[in-house]
Amino acid sequence: MNGHAAGSIPAIPLQPELIPRGTRTVVFERIFEVFLGLGTLVGVVVVAYMLYNAYRYRDGEHREDDFEPPTLGELPTGGGGGRKLFTSFALSTVIVVSLIAWTYGTLLYVEDPPEPEMEVGVEGYRFGWEFTYPNGYSEDGVLRVPADEVIRLRVTSSDVFHNFGVPELRVKTDAVPGQTTTTWFEADETGNYTAQCYELCGSGHSYMTATVVVMEPDEYREWYANTTANGS
């Protein structure tokens, strides 16, 4: 996500406990879970109400004797004067507005992360990625970071439009020639993750990948201490 927009977004006074905190992965998983839960609940209510009415007004010997179906062109009666429609509309409005406000507040946290422990420069080129660390050391194709620390990425491109993304870490931002975009992540598990380009940039686009190596903090600091601006 483009970090330049974060400063222009006003804060909204939502209760902190209502907004998920943690890594980008945790935040987006919570958003998915909330949308999935509400969608499932609405689906169950709608289907249950439909089946109830289908059973209640079914044709056959169980139909009430005083039931008179409307004739062709006649408007049905017995709807309660629109009270059901108004109630359903009001409840839907409350749910949708609350969901929008909660999601907006959650995304504000994603756009305005905690103070990063480290900042790494990322430069895309056809067809690869170069990573530059604070001490000037740079490496092609491999990004090494410590676990459980907030990492800020400053992303740009040396030739055409690219897009840097690591799906497992929920990281994705544009790499634009002559501009710098920022994003962040915090990996809570060590291991190797795959970074890819998500902007069609030429014949080698599908091969434009890199490995993100998440290391134990002590192991990372030992590795970093042995790097210099001229290489390892």
Side-chain angles (χ1 to χ4, degrees):
M1 295 184 181
N2 194 324
H4 296 298
S8 61
I9 301 177
I12 55 178
L14 293 179
Q15 295 297 323
E17 60 269 16
L18 296 179
I19 304 299
R21 292 291 186 262
T23 66
R24 293 173 66 98
T25 302
V26 169
V27 171
F28 284 110
E29 282 180 352
R30 294 297 176 271
I31 293 176
F32 173 77
E33 290 169 357
V34 169
F35 273 81
L36 178 63
L38 285 178
T40 302
L41 177 62
V42 171
V44 169
V45 171
V46 170
V47 172
Y49 186 70
M50 179 185 67
L51 293 176
Y52 165 75
N53 281 282
Y55 176 81
R56 180 183 179 186
Y57 298 111
R58 69 193 186 282
D59 193 9
E61 60 182 8
H62 300 287
R63 173 181 289 179
E64 299 176 2
D65 295 335
D66 58 348
F67 177 76
E68 296 183 2
T71 59
L72 183 62
E74 178 186 358
L75 294 177
T77 59
R83 287 191 297 272
K84 291 182 179 179
L85 179 62
F86 175 80
T87 301
S88 62
F89 180 78
L91 289 175
S92 300
T93 301
V94 170
I95 292 174
V96 170
V97 171
S98 301
L99 187 60
I100 292 174
W102 178 82
T103 305
Y104 180 72
T106 302
L107 293 179
L108 282 180
Y109 170 74
V110 175
E111 290 283 359
D112 188 19
E115 191 66 25
E117 281 86 1
M118 186 180 70
E119 187 173 277
V120 179
V122 182
E123 184 175 72
Y125 61 89
R126 292 193 293 186
F127 296 95
W129 300 99
E130 182 181 21
F131 304 97
T132 303
Y133 297 84
N135 65 353
Y137 172 72
S138 61
E139 186 172 7
D140 280 355
V142 179
L143 170 62
R144 302 176 193 273
V145 297
D148 299 319
E149 294 188 12
V150 177
I151 309 299
R152 175 182 291 165
L153 302 179
R154 297 180 62 84
V155 185
T156 188
S157 170
S158 62
D159 41 43
V160 299
F161 282 84
H162 300 287
N163 186 286
F164 180 82
V166 188
E168 293 173 288
L169 299 176
R170 307 299 192 270
V171 181
K172 194 170 184 287
T173 191
D174 290 326
V176 182
Q179 298 183 23
T180 299
T181 59
T182 61
T183 187
W184 70 279
F185 69 94
E186 180 182 352
D188 54 6
E189 293 184 7
T190 59
N192 294 346
Y193 302 86
T194 300
Q196 296 175 285
C197 178
Y198 289 89
E199 184 82 26
L200 185 60
C201 55
S203 58
H205 164 71
S206 59
Y207 302 102
M208 190 170 170
T209 62
T211 301
V212 179
V213 181
V214 180
M215 308 167 66
E216 292 290 347
D218 292 339
E219 181 184 359
Y220 174 81
R221 288 179 176 83
E222 181 180 354
W223 168 84
Y224 186 72
N226 294 320
T227 63
T228 66
N230 295 325
S232 58

